[in-house]
Amino acid sequence: KNEVEQSPQNLTAQEGEFITINCSYSVGISALHWLQQHPGGGIVSLFMLSSGKKKHGRLIATINIQEKHSSLHITASHPRDSAVYICAVRRTSGSRLTFGEGTQLTVNP
Amino acid sequence: SAVISQKPSRDICQRGTSLTIQCQVDSQVTMMFWYRQQPGQSLTLIATANQGSEATYESGFVIDKFPISRPNLTFSTLTVSNMSPEDSSIYLCSAGRRELGTDTQYFGPGTRLTVL
């Protein structure tokens, strides 16, 4: 079993829909990152969470440390949101990140 | 924040040759990492680039195949040696800062390598 599990693996939505991507992890962490990767390959860091909730524009990320679970929400989705969204955790006992498999999101107009 | 640039952005190479990828960060960072992303898969850490000393390699990756340099706090190189088609991947440089309760991770645009 992977230390970081994401669901769903693939997600197709219509423009304007509310989207949720989930991430569960099985180790103690000091931080959880949500990343966005566009088809060209470059990765953008969206959020770093150690507790609670963060919001940036139409993106909201939450984390529940007790349940070892995080969610990324996109409100009023748009075709430009189409990308791979990756959850990554940093263990409390290390400097490396452990990555989930990613969620391929496609938003159709 | 930090901006990371990588050169080259892509390359097509012949089997048996070597390619050196450069990573430049526009500000000093404590940690630099090299990742590989094979087609359709997530990121796999190759090594942590340590300033002024040998890199720390992950299981399955060795210095002879992936020599890494980090002469200062803003620059690192990764060489993919004696390439084979299995080395065709995106190679990503990453930098991190962990200080005063923050944990920030930056990624370069990636180098898309195709080995024929």
Side-chain angles (χ1 to χ4, degrees):
Chain A
K1 189 178 190 297
N2 292 336
E3 291 181 353
V4 181
E5 298 272 356
Q6 283 185 239
S7 63
Q9 197 170 10
N10 292 283
L11 181 56
T12 300
Q14 288 300 121
E15 184 172 356
E17 286 185 2
F18 180 84
I19 287 162
T20 296
I21 300 170
N22 296 299
C23 175
S24 297
Y25 52 93
S26 57
V27 295
I29 68 169
S30 61
L32 182 144
H33 294 259
W34 280 104
L35 310 170
Q36 181 191 56
Q37 185 173 33
H38 280 282
I43 293 176
V44 174
S45 178
L46 299 175
F47 295 104
M48 186 283 291
L49 296 162
S50 54
S51 64
K53 175 180 174 178
K54 287 189 176 179
K55 184 176 189 293
H56 185 257
R58 295 181 293 107
L59 301 179
I60 303 166
T62 63
I63 188 168
N64 185 318
I65 298 294
Q66 287 72 32
E67 294 185 4
K68 291 186 164 59
H69 182 269
S70 175
S71 294
L72 176 69
H73 305 286
I74 305 175
T75 62
S77 60
H78 190 277
R80 65 175 175 266
D81 297 325
S82 298
V84 176
Y85 292 83
I86 302 169
C87 171
V89 301
R90 196 182 310 281
R91 289 179 171 226
T92 48
S93 60
S95 61
R96 63 198 299 268
L97 287 175
T98 303
F99 295 84
E101 295 292 320
T103 296
Q104 173 70 62
L105 171 66
T106 303
V107 181
N108 294 317
Chain B
S1 65
V3 176
I4 301 178
S5 57
Q6 279 185 239
K7 288 194 296 187
S9 58
R10 59 176 61 231
D11 207 342
I12 301 172
C13 300
Q14 295 297 321
R15 181 195 299 260
T17 62
S18 297
L19 175 72
T20 295
I21 303 168
Q22 297 181 3
C23 175
Q24 179 74 56
V25 189
D26 70 346
S27 57
Q28 292 186 349
V29 289
T30 47
M31 300 179 292
M32 291 184 77
F33 306 93
W34 286 98
Y35 291 92
R36 180 174 75 182
Q37 186 177 32
Q38 293 179 304
Q41 298 189 22
S42 193
L43 285 76
T44 300
L45 180 63
I46 298 172
T48 302
N50 301 309
Q51 190 222 343
S53 64
E54 193 171 289
T56 305
Y57 289 85
E58 297 297 307
S59 175
F61 297 96
V62 296
I63 187 170
D64 290 346
K65 175 67 175 176
F66 297 101
I68 288 170
S69 77
R70 189 181 173 190
N72 57 50
L73 291 174
T74 63
F75 184 79
S76 179
T77 66
L78 168 74
T79 299
V80 186
S81 303
N82 188 25
M83 288 184 283
S84 67
E86 292 71 35
D87 295 319
S88 298
S89 292
I90 297 174
Y91 291 85
L92 289 132
C93 174
S94 177
R97 289 200 182 101
R98 297 174 71 190
E99 55 212 10
L100 297 175
T102 66
D103 183 329
T104 311
Q105 197 80 17
Y106 308 98
F107 290 87
T111 296
R112 189 178 294 270
L113 171 62
T114 302
V115 184
L116 303 178

